[in-house]
Short mmCIF file of all heavy atoms in Angstrom, two decimals:
data_model
loop_
_atom_site.label_atom_id
_atom_site.label_comp_id
_atom_site.label_asym_id
_atom_site.label_seq_id
_atom_site.Cartn_x
_atom_site.Cartn_y
_atom_site.Cartn_z
N PRO A 273 63.52 9.39 -5.45
CA PRO A 273 63.34 10.44 -6.45
C PRO A 273 64.16 11.67 -6.12
O PRO A 273 64.26 12.07 -4.96
CB PRO A 273 61.84 10.73 -6.39
CG PRO A 273 61.23 9.58 -5.70
CD PRO A 273 62.27 9.06 -4.78
N ARG A 274 64.74 12.26 -7.13
CA ARG A 274 65.42 13.53 -6.94
C ARG A 274 64.39 14.64 -6.76
O ARG A 274 63.21 14.48 -7.03
CB ARG A 274 66.28 13.86 -8.18
CG ARG A 274 67.36 12.85 -8.44
CD ARG A 274 68.27 13.35 -9.54
NE ARG A 274 67.50 13.69 -10.74
CZ ARG A 274 68.01 14.37 -11.76
NH1 ARG A 274 69.23 14.82 -11.71
NH2 ARG A 274 67.28 14.61 -12.82
N LYS A 275 64.86 15.81 -6.31
CA LYS A 275 63.97 16.96 -6.20
C LYS A 275 63.41 17.28 -7.57
O LYS A 275 64.11 17.22 -8.58
CB LYS A 275 64.76 18.16 -5.66
CG LYS A 275 63.89 19.39 -5.40
CD LYS A 275 64.74 20.50 -4.83
CE LYS A 275 63.89 21.74 -4.57
NZ LYS A 275 64.70 22.85 -4.02
N ALA A 276 62.14 17.59 -7.63
CA ALA A 276 61.46 17.81 -8.91
C ALA A 276 62.14 18.91 -9.71
O ALA A 276 62.64 19.89 -9.16
CB ALA A 276 60.00 18.18 -8.68
N LEU A 277 62.16 18.73 -11.02
CA LEU A 277 62.71 19.75 -11.91
C LEU A 277 61.84 21.00 -11.90
O LEU A 277 60.66 20.97 -11.54
CB LEU A 277 62.76 19.22 -13.35
CG LEU A 277 63.76 18.11 -13.65
CD1 LEU A 277 63.56 17.69 -15.10
CD2 LEU A 277 65.18 18.55 -13.41
N ARG A 278 62.42 22.14 -12.30
CA ARG A 278 61.62 23.34 -12.51
C ARG A 278 60.56 23.01 -13.55
O ARG A 278 60.85 22.40 -14.57
CB ARG A 278 62.53 24.47 -13.01
CG ARG A 278 61.79 25.75 -13.30
CD ARG A 278 62.77 26.91 -13.38
NE ARG A 278 63.72 26.73 -14.46
CZ ARG A 278 63.55 27.23 -15.68
NH1 ARG A 278 62.43 27.88 -15.96
NH2 ARG A 278 64.46 27.07 -16.60
N PRO A 279 59.29 23.33 -13.32
CA PRO A 279 58.21 22.94 -14.22
C PRO A 279 58.49 23.34 -15.66
O PRO A 279 58.86 24.46 -15.94
CB PRO A 279 56.98 23.69 -13.67
CG PRO A 279 57.29 23.86 -12.22
CD PRO A 279 58.78 24.10 -12.17
N VAL A 280 58.31 22.36 -16.57
CA VAL A 280 58.55 22.63 -17.99
C VAL A 280 57.43 22.09 -18.87
O VAL A 280 57.58 21.98 -20.06
CB VAL A 280 59.89 22.01 -18.44
CG1 VAL A 280 61.04 22.75 -17.82
CG2 VAL A 280 59.94 20.53 -18.10
N GLY A 281 56.30 21.70 -18.32
CA GLY A 281 55.23 21.16 -19.15
C GLY A 281 54.09 20.72 -18.27
O GLY A 281 54.03 21.08 -17.11
N GLN A 282 53.22 19.96 -18.75
CA GLN A 282 52.14 19.41 -17.94
C GLN A 282 52.12 17.93 -18.15
O GLN A 282 52.02 17.46 -19.27
CB GLN A 282 50.79 20.01 -18.35
CG GLN A 282 49.63 19.45 -17.51
CD GLN A 282 48.29 19.88 -18.03
OE1 GLN A 282 48.04 19.73 -19.21
NE2 GLN A 282 47.45 20.39 -17.17
N ILE A 283 52.27 17.19 -17.05
CA ILE A 283 52.23 15.73 -17.13
C ILE A 283 51.24 15.24 -16.09
O ILE A 283 51.20 15.73 -14.98
CB ILE A 283 53.62 15.11 -16.87
CG1 ILE A 283 54.55 15.44 -18.05
CG2 ILE A 283 53.50 13.61 -16.71
CD1 ILE A 283 55.90 14.83 -17.92
N ARG A 284 50.45 14.27 -16.45
CA ARG A 284 49.48 13.75 -15.53
C ARG A 284 49.51 12.24 -15.54
O ARG A 284 50.07 11.62 -16.45
CB ARG A 284 48.07 14.19 -15.91
CG ARG A 284 47.63 13.52 -17.20
CD ARG A 284 46.27 14.01 -17.62
NE ARG A 284 45.97 13.44 -18.89
CZ ARG A 284 45.28 12.30 -19.05
NH1 ARG A 284 44.83 11.65 -18.02
NH2 ARG A 284 45.05 11.81 -20.23
N GLN A 285 48.92 11.65 -14.52
CA GLN A 285 48.78 10.21 -14.43
C GLN A 285 47.33 9.87 -14.67
O GLN A 285 46.44 10.49 -14.09
CB GLN A 285 49.23 9.70 -13.07
CG GLN A 285 50.72 9.99 -12.83
CD GLN A 285 51.16 9.47 -11.48
OE1 GLN A 285 50.33 9.15 -10.66
NE2 GLN A 285 52.45 9.42 -11.27
N ASP A 286 47.08 8.88 -15.51
CA ASP A 286 45.72 8.60 -15.92
C ASP A 286 45.46 7.11 -15.89
O ASP A 286 46.27 6.33 -16.34
CB ASP A 286 45.51 9.12 -17.34
CG ASP A 286 44.05 9.14 -17.74
OD1 ASP A 286 43.22 8.73 -16.92
OD2 ASP A 286 43.77 9.59 -18.85
N ARG A 287 44.31 6.72 -15.36
CA ARG A 287 43.87 5.33 -15.43
C ARG A 287 42.78 5.14 -16.47
O ARG A 287 42.84 4.28 -17.31
CB ARG A 287 43.33 4.88 -14.07
CG ARG A 287 44.40 4.50 -13.06
CD ARG A 287 43.73 3.89 -11.85
NE ARG A 287 44.68 3.66 -10.79
CZ ARG A 287 44.31 3.28 -9.57
NH1 ARG A 287 43.04 3.08 -9.29
NH2 ARG A 287 45.21 3.08 -8.63
N GLN A 288 41.75 5.98 -16.35
CA GLN A 288 40.57 5.75 -17.16
C GLN A 288 40.42 6.75 -18.30
O GLN A 288 39.99 6.38 -19.38
CB GLN A 288 39.31 5.83 -16.28
CG GLN A 288 39.36 4.85 -15.09
CD GLN A 288 39.36 3.41 -15.55
OE1 GLN A 288 38.91 3.12 -16.65
NE2 GLN A 288 39.87 2.52 -14.73
N ASP A 289 40.76 8.03 -18.07
CA ASP A 289 40.47 9.08 -19.03
C ASP A 289 41.72 9.48 -19.79
O ASP A 289 42.64 10.02 -19.20
CB ASP A 289 39.91 10.30 -18.28
CG ASP A 289 39.45 11.39 -19.24
OD1 ASP A 289 39.62 11.19 -20.47
OD2 ASP A 289 38.94 12.40 -18.77
N PRO A 290 41.83 9.17 -21.08
CA PRO A 290 43.04 9.48 -21.83
C PRO A 290 43.18 10.94 -22.21
O PRO A 290 44.17 11.32 -22.81
CB PRO A 290 42.89 8.60 -23.08
CG PRO A 290 41.42 8.50 -23.29
CD PRO A 290 40.81 8.48 -21.90
N ARG A 291 42.22 11.80 -21.87
CA ARG A 291 42.32 13.20 -22.25
C ARG A 291 43.30 13.94 -21.34
O ARG A 291 43.25 13.78 -20.14
CB ARG A 291 40.94 13.86 -22.17
CG ARG A 291 39.94 13.32 -23.17
CD ARG A 291 38.57 13.90 -22.91
NE ARG A 291 38.11 13.53 -21.56
CZ ARG A 291 36.99 14.00 -21.03
NH1 ARG A 291 36.25 14.86 -21.69
NH2 ARG A 291 36.63 13.61 -19.81
N PRO A 292 44.18 14.75 -21.88
CA PRO A 292 45.14 15.47 -21.04
C PRO A 292 44.44 16.40 -20.06
O PRO A 292 43.43 17.02 -20.38
CB PRO A 292 45.97 16.27 -22.05
CG PRO A 292 45.78 15.56 -23.34
CD PRO A 292 44.39 15.00 -23.30
#
Side-chain angles (χ1 to χ4, degrees):
R274 299 188 306 167
K275 185 178 180 181
L277 291 176
R278 178 163 62 93
V280 291
Q282 180 188 51
I283 291 183
R284 68 183 175 94
Q285 297 180 346
D286 192 359
R287 280 188 187 172
Q288 304 295 337
D289 186 357
R291 295 173 298 174

